[in-house]
Amino acid sequence: MPVTVLLVDDEPLVRAGLRAVLEAQPDIEVVGEAADGAAVVPLVRQLRPDVVAMDVRMPLLDGIEATRAVLKSVDRPPKILVVTTFENDEYVYQALRAGADGFLLKRARPSEIVHAVRLVAEGETLLFPAAVRALAAEYGNREARTSLDRAALTEREGSVLRLMSRGLTNAEIAAELFVGAETVKSHVSAVLAKLGARDRTQAVIMAYESGFVAPA
């Protein structure tokens, strides 16, 4: 089954460019388009895409609020990939904190666009960990320790979270810890459940903001 994508951007040329790049791939299908975040929830319910590529700045409803709306009102919501001009934009960080799974630069090469969509759809690693780390260093909330303190992670779960924060896949974490990939998958699931995080991106942001992992 191909990865299905919904494109959301108020610039028709951006949507056309993304569509051309993604539909050139045999394993990716663009199932719809929207020009504003206000249209996202009904389209997601209708089309059930795997990934939403969403502009962070739009005139009626921006990508941050659209992300919140999707995650709040849609059962089994899609992965959300924020499309942005500048990776160090506070809007990008707020979108990630709101629940977006990663971001994509509008100037990215076609191969990078395709890689980002595939990676976010798989959900087994963190997209652009260095950039997320830099955003956390600039915009993160240093006082947010409560969630990590309450989570009471085991020593092994803490190790897994630190390796997740470096952007390692489950297989890479398994090699680092000398355990099986299924064991790592179980630890990742436990970390997400204890933190109340939707995915790896959310868990890593919480780790940075709490000081559990140093952003710098």
PDB file of all heavy atoms in Angstrom, residues 59-74:
ATOM      1  N   PRO A  59      -3.411  31.977   6.175  1.00  0.00           N
ATOM      2  CA  PRO A  59      -4.177  33.168   6.561  1.00  0.00           C
ATOM      3  C   PRO A  59      -5.325  32.935   7.541  1.00  0.00           C
ATOM      4  O   PRO A  59      -5.519  33.723   8.461  1.00  0.00           O
ATOM      5  CB  PRO A  59      -4.710  33.697   5.215  1.00  0.00           C
ATOM      6  CG  PRO A  59      -4.649  32.527   4.288  1.00  0.00           C
ATOM      7  CD  PRO A  59      -3.481  31.715   4.732  1.00  0.00           C
ATOM      8  N   LEU A  60      -6.128  31.890   7.384  1.00  0.00           N
ATOM      9  CA  LEU A  60      -7.290  31.694   8.250  1.00  0.00           C
ATOM     10  C   LEU A  60      -6.955  30.878   9.491  1.00  0.00           C
ATOM     11  O   LEU A  60      -7.205  31.301  10.613  1.00  0.00           O
ATOM     12  CB  LEU A  60      -8.418  31.012   7.465  1.00  0.00           C
ATOM     13  CG  LEU A  60      -8.993  31.815   6.290  1.00  0.00           C
ATOM     14  CD1 LEU A  60     -10.078  31.017   5.577  1.00  0.00           C
ATOM     15  CD2 LEU A  60      -9.539  33.165   6.773  1.00  0.00           C
ATOM     16  N   LEU A  61      -6.398  29.692   9.275  1.00  0.00           N
ATOM     17  CA  LEU A  61      -6.013  28.837  10.387  1.00  0.00           C
ATOM     18  C   LEU A  61      -4.614  28.325  10.113  1.00  0.00           C
ATOM     19  O   LEU A  61      -4.383  27.633   9.116  1.00  0.00           O
ATOM     20  CB  LEU A  61      -6.993  27.665  10.530  1.00  0.00           C
ATOM     21  CG  LEU A  61      -6.869  26.841  11.816  1.00  0.00           C
ATOM     22  CD1 LEU A  61      -7.343  27.668  13.017  1.00  0.00           C
ATOM     23  CD2 LEU A  61      -7.673  25.555  11.713  1.00  0.00           C
ATOM     24  N   ASP A  62      -3.662  28.676  10.993  1.00  0.00           N
ATOM     25  CA  ASP A  62      -2.276  28.291  10.725  1.00  0.00           C
ATOM     26  C   ASP A  62      -2.037  26.817  11.047  1.00  0.00           C
ATOM     27  O   ASP A  62      -2.906  26.116  11.569  1.00  0.00           O
ATOM     28  CB  ASP A  62      -1.298  29.199  11.478  1.00  0.00           C
ATOM     29  CG  ASP A  62      -1.395  29.074  13.004  1.00  0.00           C
ATOM     30  OD1 ASP A  62      -1.757  27.985  13.502  1.00  0.00           O
ATOM     31  OD2 ASP A  62      -1.081  30.053  13.695  1.00  0.00           O
ATOM     32  N   GLY A  63      -0.833  26.364  10.711  1.00  0.00           N
ATOM     33  CA  GLY A  63      -0.507  24.959  10.871  1.00  0.00           C
ATOM     34  C   GLY A  63      -0.496  24.489  12.311  1.00  0.00           C
ATOM     35  O   GLY A  63      -0.756  23.314  12.588  1.00  0.00           O
ATOM     36  N   ILE A  64      -0.209  25.401  13.254  1.00  0.00           N
ATOM     37  CA  ILE A  64      -0.196  25.030  14.670  1.00  0.00           C
ATOM     38  C   ILE A  64      -1.607  24.684  15.129  1.00  0.00           C
ATOM     39  O   ILE A  64      -1.855  23.620  15.711  1.00  0.00           O
ATOM     40  CB  ILE A  64       0.377  26.176  15.527  1.00  0.00           C
ATOM     41  CG1 ILE A  64       1.809  26.495  15.096  1.00  0.00           C
ATOM     42  CG2 ILE A  64       0.334  25.802  17.009  1.00  0.00           C
ATOM     43  CD1 ILE A  64       2.361  27.766  15.720  1.00  0.00           C
ATOM     44  N   GLU A  65      -2.561  25.579  14.864  1.00  0.00           N
ATOM     45  CA  GLU A  65      -3.939  25.344  15.296  1.00  0.00           C
ATOM     46  C   GLU A  65      -4.569  24.204  14.508  1.00  0.00           C
ATOM     47  O   GLU A  65      -5.378  23.436  15.056  1.00  0.00           O
ATOM     48  CB  GLU A  65      -4.763  26.630  15.144  1.00  0.00           C
ATOM     49  CG  GLU A  65      -4.361  27.730  16.103  1.00  0.00           C
ATOM     50  CD  GLU A  65      -4.400  27.273  17.554  1.00  0.00           C
ATOM     51  OE1 GLU A  65      -5.351  26.544  17.932  1.00  0.00           O
ATOM     52  OE2 GLU A  65      -3.488  27.624  18.323  1.00  0.00           O
ATOM     53  N   ALA A  66      -4.213  24.078  13.231  1.00  0.00           N
ATOM     54  CA  ALA A  66      -4.743  22.972  12.438  1.00  0.00           C
ATOM     55  C   ALA A  66      -4.245  21.633  12.969  1.00  0.00           C
ATOM     56  O   ALA A  66      -4.991  20.644  13.001  1.00  0.00           O
ATOM     57  CB  ALA A  66      -4.351  23.143  10.968  1.00  0.00           C
ATOM     58  N   THR A  67      -2.993  21.593  13.402  1.00  0.00           N
ATOM     59  CA  THR A  67      -2.447  20.374  14.007  1.00  0.00           C
ATOM     60  C   THR A  67      -3.214  20.025  15.265  1.00  0.00           C
ATOM     61  O   THR A  67      -3.614  18.872  15.474  1.00  0.00           O
ATOM     62  CB  THR A  67      -0.951  20.562  14.327  1.00  0.00           C
ATOM     63  OG1 THR A  67      -0.224  20.718  13.108  1.00  0.00           O
ATOM     64  CG2 THR A  67      -0.397  19.381  15.098  1.00  0.00           C
ATOM     65  N   ARG A  68      -3.430  21.006  16.129  1.00  0.00           N
ATOM     66  CA  ARG A  68      -4.184  20.760  17.359  1.00  0.00           C
ATOM     67  C   ARG A  68      -5.591  20.248  17.039  1.00  0.00           C
ATOM     68  O   ARG A  68      -6.094  19.327  17.694  1.00  0.00           O
ATOM     69  CB  ARG A  68      -4.271  22.041  18.181  1.00  0.00           C
ATOM     70  CG  ARG A  68      -2.956  22.495  18.795  1.00  0.00           C
ATOM     71  CD  ARG A  68      -3.191  23.559  19.850  1.00  0.00           C
ATOM     72  NE  ARG A  68      -1.936  23.983  20.460  1.00  0.00           N
ATOM     73  CZ  ARG A  68      -1.354  25.151  20.235  1.00  0.00           C
ATOM     74  NH1 ARG A  68      -1.915  26.042  19.424  1.00  0.00           N
ATOM     75  NH2 ARG A  68      -0.216  25.469  20.830  1.00  0.00           N
ATOM     76  N   ALA A  69      -6.228  20.852  16.023  1.00  0.00           N
ATOM     77  CA  ALA A  69      -7.592  20.465  15.672  1.00  0.00           C
ATOM     78  C   ALA A  69      -7.657  19.022  15.187  1.00  0.00           C
ATOM     79  O   ALA A  69      -8.566  18.266  15.558  1.00  0.00           O
ATOM     80  CB  ALA A  69      -8.140  21.411  14.600  1.00  0.00           C
ATOM     81  N   VAL A  70      -6.686  18.622  14.367  1.00  0.00           N
ATOM     82  CA  VAL A  70      -6.662  17.253  13.853  1.00  0.00           C
ATOM     83  C   VAL A  70      -6.478  16.258  14.992  1.00  0.00           C
ATOM     84  O   VAL A  70      -7.204  15.255  15.095  1.00  0.00           O
ATOM     85  CB  VAL A  70      -5.549  17.079  12.802  1.00  0.00           C
ATOM     86  CG1 VAL A  70      -5.333  15.601  12.479  1.00  0.00           C
ATOM     87  CG2 VAL A  70      -5.885  17.847  11.529  1.00  0.00           C
ATOM     88  N   LEU A  71      -5.516  16.516  15.859  1.00  0.00           N
ATOM     89  CA  LEU A  71      -5.214  15.578  16.929  1.00  0.00           C
ATOM     90  C   LEU A  71      -6.344  15.496  17.954  1.00  0.00           C
ATOM     91  O   LEU A  71      -6.551  14.453  18.579  1.00  0.00           O
ATOM     92  CB  LEU A  71      -3.910  15.971  17.624  1.00  0.00           C
ATOM     93  CG  LEU A  71      -2.666  15.950  16.729  1.00  0.00           C
ATOM     94  CD1 LEU A  71      -1.426  16.302  17.537  1.00  0.00           C
ATOM     95  CD2 LEU A  71      -2.488  14.598  16.061  1.00  0.00           C
ATOM     96  N   LYS A  72      -7.076  16.585  18.103  1.00  0.00           N
ATOM     97  CA  LYS A  72      -8.161  16.609  19.082  1.00  0.00           C
ATOM     98  C   LYS A  72      -9.427  15.945  18.564  1.00  0.00           C
ATOM     99  O   LYS A  72     -10.160  15.301  19.328  1.00  0.00           O
ATOM    100  CB  LYS A  72      -8.469  18.062  19.471  1.00  0.00           C
ATOM    101  CG  LYS A  72      -9.580  18.215  20.499  1.00  0.00           C
ATOM    102  CD  LYS A  72      -9.807  19.678  20.839  1.00  0.00           C
ATOM    103  CE  LYS A  72     -10.929  19.847  21.866  1.00  0.00           C
ATOM    104  NZ  LYS A  72     -11.162  21.280  22.189  1.00  0.00           N
ATOM    105  N   SER A  73      -9.697  16.061  17.265  1.00  0.00           N
ATOM    106  CA  SER A  73     -11.022  15.680  16.768  1.00  0.00           C
ATOM    107  C   SER A  73     -11.050  14.498  15.808  1.00  0.00           C
ATOM    108  O   SER A  73     -12.125  14.089  15.384  1.00  0.00           O
ATOM    109  CB  SER A  73     -11.673  16.894  16.075  1.00  0.00           C
ATOM    110  OG  SER A  73     -10.876  17.336  14.991  1.00  0.00           O
ATOM    111  N   VAL A  74      -9.882  13.943  15.460  1.00  0.00           N
ATOM    112  CA  VAL A  74      -9.851  12.839  14.502  1.00  0.00           C
ATOM    113  C   VAL A  74      -9.353  11.568  15.186  1.00  0.00           C
ATOM    114  O   VAL A  74      -8.300  11.575  15.829  1.00  0.00           O
ATOM    115  CB  VAL A  74      -8.929  13.180  13.303  1.00  0.00           C
ATOM    116  CG1 VAL A  74      -8.818  11.981  12.359  1.00  0.00           C
ATOM    117  CG2 VAL A  74      -9.450  14.400  12.554  1.00  0.00           C
TER     118      VAL A  74
END
